[in-house]
Amino acid sequence: MNGYAGNKDDLLKRLSRAEGQVRGIARMVDNDKYCIDILTQVSAATSALETVALSLLADHLSHCVAEAAVEGGPVAEEKIREANEAIARLVRS
């Protein structure tokens, strides 16, 4: 079972809204809207995706990493390494 199972519906709603925002941005570009207005919407869509990412990360830490920590050994080390890499990717983006 994935750590986000309890939040799946919320995540799907957030992703659907972000998808709608991105489609709206494409329409704005197609309709030659003012660049600052488009950038504002890009920022909103980015924020929406960051919220999803942070929620997934929190679920991963509290479920997958926590379970692996109880097990210990190489499994725990691998999950911690994965989490560190995921955090690094989020920080860079």
Side-chain angles (χ1 to χ4, degrees):
M1 176 186 256
N2 291 315
Y4 61 82
N7 294 333
K8 187 174 180 178
D9 290 339
D10 182 54
L11 289 171
L12 289 172
K13 286 177 193 173
R14 288 179 181 278
L15 287 167
S16 181
R17 280 194 297 266
E19 180 183 17
Q21 286 177 304
V22 171
R23 281 194 306 270
I25 293 166
R27 281 192 302 273
M28 291 176 79
V29 170
D30 190 44
N31 294 327
D32 298 319
K33 297 296 181 181
Y34 185 55
C35 54
I36 296 300
D37 294 338
I38 296 170
L39 288 170
T40 299
Q41 292 307 309
V42 168
S43 178
T46 300
S47 178
L49 289 174
E50 287 173 350
T51 299
V52 169
L54 290 173
S55 176
L56 284 168
L57 180 60
D59 290 339
H60 180 67
L61 292 172
S62 64
H63 180 264
C64 303
V65 175
E67 284 184 5
V70 169
E71 187 175 330
V75 173
E77 291 173 11
E78 174 64 14
K79 291 296 181 186
I80 291 169
R81 184 193 59 74
E82 286 177 345
N84 281 328
E85 289 175 359
I87 292 165
R89 283 192 304 273
L90 286 173
V91 171
R92 282 192 300 263
S93 63

